[in-house]
Amino acid sequence: EYQWKGPFYFIQGADPQFGLMKAWTHGDTNNGDDEWGEEIKLAEQAVQAINKLNPKPKFFVLCGDLVHGMPGTRWKKNQEQDLKDVLKNTDQDIPLVFVSGNHDIGNTPTRETIDDYCKNWGDDYFSFWVGGVFFLVLNSQLYFDSSKCPELRQAQDAWLDEQLAAAANQKCKHIIVFQHIPLFLSKPDEDHDYFNLDKSVRREIMEKFHKAGIRAVFSGHYHRNAGGSYKGLEMVVSSAIGCQLGQDTHGLRVVVVTEEKVVHRYYSLTQLGSHGIEKELLDVLAKQ
């Protein structure tokens, strides 16, 4: 869909992370993830809320940490199977888009962990068009620590440059990026920690995105809502479907794309499931 056809919306979720709630409560995030009944219920609630929406979203993107188990850990396969069983109930007309997170491919990914992810969930980076808007899905783990697979980081970088060049020729309305780890949480020059990218890497990416005219980057990882902007590039950090590490509710973000702008709002699962999208956003969608 290279052509602009009018406003549309999609749903962004992040971090269903089957297994984290028990691990977090018990203070054992390495092996305490042997139960995930709570997360199953929350993911089911998310799918039910999305299925009820009218009009339907163009797609549902999950921004990483699909499950808590790291590559090679005991419960990972079971967690993944249970998540797939829940997601199978998503309305057939709503495509699912998966983004790799650190728990999906490891904090320091290898070719093997990435291959395994790709077999399970699809490519770790790719692009697609919806209604004249160009979307990029990136593997942010390669920006966080690619020490065990530097050639894969180089490949993604080269691919990204080609994609941005192609997008420039196609005259797309907007370019929107999905990745797991945020570039930053609130300020472009904030200190580096577990929840954002290293400052030097971040500066390089922000500048590349700014020059390419990228409108927004949507991510998860923080298990809280956050965000800021850099020279007109909006960084949107969405809280989790699963375990909350702050004061936010389990939720999903509704993102409306119009010819001029990208507007979004975070809804609790209960709110979205019982009331749907509020009139204000529906009005924006209806403006042709």
Side-chain angles (χ1 to χ4, degrees):
E1 298 187 354
Y2 295 113
Q3 300 307 313
W4 176 254
K5 297 191 180 79
F8 64 87
Y9 81 102
F10 63 86
I11 302 288
Q12 183 221 4
D15 304 272
Q17 207 156 341
F18 283 20
L20 175 60
M21 287 170 94
K22 182 179 178 198
W24 188 257
T25 321
H26 287 244
D28 180 5
T29 51
N30 290 331
N31 352 305
D33 60 334
D34 59 344
E35 284 175 26
W36 48 91
E38 277 304 297
E39 286 96 336
I40 289 177
K41 283 190 200 126
L42 291 161
E44 285 172 344
Q45 200 183 342
V47 168
Q48 284 157 8
I50 291 168
N51 286 347
K52 280 206 272 194
L53 295 171
N54 184 21
K56 291 187 198 305
K58 282 285 194 174
F59 59 88
F60 170 29
V61 58
L62 270 172
C63 283
D65 282 3
L66 306 173
V67 302
H68 182 67
M70 286 279 189
T73 54
R74 189 172 170 191
W75 307 107
K76 189 178 182 71
K77 289 274 174 273
N78 303 50
Q79 290 167 353
E80 289 184 327
Q81 190 53 55
D82 284 353
L83 178 59
K84 286 178 182 178
D85 289 343
V86 172
L87 293 174
K88 275 176 195 155
N89 297 316
T90 311
D91 187 306
Q92 293 300 301
D93 296 331
I94 304 170
L96 291 166
V97 177
F98 297 107
V99 181
S100 62
N102 56 307
H103 282 263
D104 305 310
I105 57 177
N107 285 322
T108 306
T110 64
R111 187 175 276 281
E112 290 68 39
T113 63
I114 292 175
D115 282 349
D116 192 52
Y117 169 86
C118 293
K119 283 191 195 95
N120 253 309
W121 303 102
D123 293 338
D124 59 322
Y125 58 89
F126 56 96
S127 64
F128 61 97
W129 286 84
V130 172
V133 176
F134 189 51
F135 292 92
L136 290 159
V137 170
L138 297 178
N139 178 345
S140 55
Q141 229 39 50
L142 295 174
Y143 294 130
F144 193 81
D145 182 359
S146 62
S147 57
K148 288 187 178 164
C149 53
E151 73 289 354
L152 297 183
R153 157 91 192 256
Q154 286 159 2
Q156 176 171 259
D157 284 344
W159 171 86
L160 179 58
D161 289 342
E162 281 166 21
Q163 295 289 310
L164 293 175
N169 292 335
Q170 284 284 2
K171 304 280 180 283
C172 52
K173 282 289 171 206
H174 307 289
I175 307 174
I176 293 173
V177 171
F178 300 119
Q179 59 186 57
H180 179 61
I181 301 181
L183 296 168
F184 57 88
L185 297 172
S186 55
K187 297 188 178 71
D189 58 350
E190 69 198 16
D191 288 338
H192 166 56
D193 67 16
Y194 175 77
F195 288 113
N196 59 19
L197 290 179
D198 180 77
K199 269 184 160 176
S200 61
V201 176
R202 183 196 312 166
R203 267 198 297 272
E204 193 184 319
I205 298 172
M206 288 190 311
E207 205 39 45
K208 179 183 284 194
F209 284 4
H210 162 64
K211 285 194 175 117
I214 290 172
R215 180 57 63 104
V217 176
F218 288 87
S219 69
H221 189 53
Y222 192 44
H223 295 254
R224 285 156 281 218
N225 285 309
S229 63
Y230 171 80
K231 297 184 181 176
L233 166 73
E234 190 182 6
M235 181 67 243
V236 184
V237 185
S238 291
S239 197
I241 292 171
C243 188
Q244 299 299 314
L245 301 184
Q247 302 307 307
D248 295 298
T249 52
H250 307 281
L252 292 164
R253 192 173 291 278
V254 172
V255 186
V256 175
V257 183
T258 74
E259 204 159 359
E260 289 78 40
K261 55 191 180 188
V262 176
V263 282
H264 50 86
R265 175 160 177 220
Y266 186 83
Y267 289 82
S268 75
L269 296 179
T270 315
Q271 197 183 10
L272 193 63
S274 52
H275 303 298
I277 301 170
E278 82 229 72
K279 187 175 180 313
E280 196 185 337
L281 281 185
L282 287 172
D283 287 348
V284 174
L285 266 180
K287 282 185 189 142
Q288 292 292 350

